[in-house]
Amino acid sequence: MISPGLQYPIFGPEISCPHCRQIIPALTLTDTYLCPRHGAFEANPQTGELVHLQSGRHWRRWNGEWYRQHTHPDGIRFEIHEALDRLYTQGYRATKVIIASRYRELVSAYLERNTPWRGNSDSQTPRLYGLPVEFSPESKEDPCWDVINFDLEKEPGIPKRYPYFRLFE
Ligand SMILES: [Zn+2]
């Protein structure tokens, strides 16, 4: 087996661009990958991350997929919102959001909490977009949680033309 470590950055001779998914090559003897549309990405062997030099965005990779690493709560909230929209269009509805525990501090202040006067049993359960939120196990129990950002529990939903139609029923 040939060890690629000496010639190529940590992600190998080519990767798919995190922005456009096009296959892009590594530049020889550097840690850089170059996308003709999105410019240079640099692999960091210390952190295992890919960094877009122009925007400073960071990604980690799991099972061949790139996962953007968020540094601001709006970034991960937006990504969850997009995933919820996708679920609706696929005919599902989400029942729970599981957020990677490494984001606990980042997002906690932004989660909705039920007001205590309702007195129901899950009044302490934080919510996001109305859905209960849990945090993932620690990544040493399941290493994917060091990379992926969140997971959605779902159930088949009644197909509706407009996802928020039920508000008016
Ligand atoms: Zn690209």
Side-chain angles (χ1 to χ4, degrees):
M1 206 175 136
I2 303 161
S3 163
L6 296 176
Q7 305 176 53
Y8 295 116
I10 49 172
F11 299 114
E14 55 186 24
I15 60 170
S16 74
C17 170
H19 280 302
C20 65
R21 293 168 176 265
Q22 192 180 330
I23 300 296
I24 59 174
L27 303 181
T28 320
L29 300 176
T30 72
D31 282 326
T32 303
Y33 297 89
L34 198 59
C35 174
R37 287 173 60 195
H38 298 104
F41 293 84
E42 200 167 84
N44 182 329
Q46 268 80 49
T47 61
E49 292 184 338
L50 186 71
V51 181
H52 186 218
L53 295 182
Q54 211 179 331
S55 66
R57 290 178 175 183
H58 289 227
W59 284 268
R60 293 177 193 164
R61 194 165 68 172
W62 186 260
N63 282 343
E65 291 284 329
W66 293 112
Y67 293 87
R68 169 113 182 261
Q69 303 300 304
H70 296 286
T71 53
H72 193 279
D74 282 346
I76 185 163
R77 284 196 301 170
F78 184 71
E79 200 183 313
I80 291 171
H81 192 271
E82 280 185 320
L84 290 172
D85 272 353
R86 258 199 314 277
L87 266 194
Y88 274 121
T89 60
Q90 292 164 358
Y92 290 94
R93 60 184 209 99
T95 53
K96 189 194 284 184
V97 187
I98 301 151
I99 299 178
S101 56
R102 69 186 190 282
Y103 289 122
R104 190 188 294 266
E105 254 182 72
L106 187 70
V107 301
S108 280
Y110 290 82
L111 300 176
E112 306 141 18
R113 282 165 211 283
N114 287 352
T115 44
W117 53 263
R118 289 190 188 175
N120 53 11
S121 58
D122 66 355
S123 63
Q124 292 311 303
T125 308
R127 287 173 179 266
L128 182 64
Y129 302 122
L131 294 167
V133 170
E134 274 180 18
F135 288 97
S136 75
E138 293 300 320
S139 55
K140 56 181 180 290
E141 286 174 48
D142 189 346
C144 78
W145 287 111
D146 213 19
V147 177
I148 70 172
N149 294 326
F150 63 90
D151 195 14
L152 297 175
E153 280 186 9
K154 62 184 182 181
E155 61 183 26
I158 303 158
K160 290 188 190 297
R161 192 176 295 273
Y162 302 108
Y164 303 109
F165 185 70
R166 59 199 306 250
L167 289 175
F168 304 102
E169 281 174 339

